[in-house]
Amino acid sequence: MNHEATQELSVTPDAVAGGTTQVSDEVVEKIAVAAAKSVPGVAELGGDVARFFNAVLDKVGLDRVGDARRGCSAHVTNGAAVVNLVLVISAGHPVPQVTDAVRTAVTAAVESYGLRADEINIRIDDVAIPTPASPTP
């Protein structure tokens, strides 16, 4: 009877296939929008025109894109992201505090995906003023 010795191959953490990972601009936009919306004082994202057309599309049922990236553009190059946000802030919230909190939240969110946040540019497009409740007869 012939006994052949068997050899075990060990797999170590070093035995991982190489390659590259790329995160698309659209993914960074969605991440940034979600982070910005989580900040108190951020009422909406997007400029006047974008919000107007989005409202019209919502009313006629043609809004297929949704709001996941509205009010945000991003560009990723060599693992670094530049994010541009257009915000509507809630009345009574100081702009510097809201924008600092948005930058902090967006930076943390982007960096949690393994990217570096080089710039978080913010433009305040409008302020959301609550409308008084109409009296009921």
Side-chain angles (χ1 to χ4, degrees):
M1 195 169 169
N2 188 2
H3 292 284
E4 293 183 22
T6 59
Q7 181 180 359
E8 290 186 23
L9 298 175
S10 62
V11 178
T12 64
D14 295 334
V16 176
T20 62
T21 301
Q22 295 178 342
V23 179
S24 74
D25 297 349
E26 292 83 9
V27 169
V28 174
E29 291 166 359
K30 289 179 180 181
I31 294 165
V33 166
K37 284 183 175 181
S38 73
V39 173
V42 174
E44 285 188 73
L45 275 81
D48 290 334
V49 173
R51 291 193 320 271
F52 170 77
F53 282 115
N54 193 61
V56 170
L57 291 173
D58 281 344
K59 287 184 183 189
V60 295
L62 294 175
D63 186 9
R64 303 232 187 268
V65 176
D67 297 336
R69 296 178 10 219
R70 186 179 59 161
C72 182
S73 65
H75 185 67
V76 181
T77 307
N78 298 324
V82 174
V83 178
N84 300 299
L85 295 164
V86 180
L87 303 179
V88 177
I89 63 168
S90 301
H93 291 296
V95 171
Q97 290 177 356
V98 172
T99 56
D100 285 349
V102 167
R103 277 191 184 89
T104 299
V106 171
T107 297
V110 168
E111 290 180 351
S112 73
Y113 280 78
L115 298 170
R116 187 178 71 248
D118 276 356
E119 292 180 31
I120 309 296
N121 302 307
I122 300 172
R123 180 170 58 93
I124 305 299
D125 186 70
D126 202 354
V127 61
I129 300 173
T131 57
S134 56
T136 54

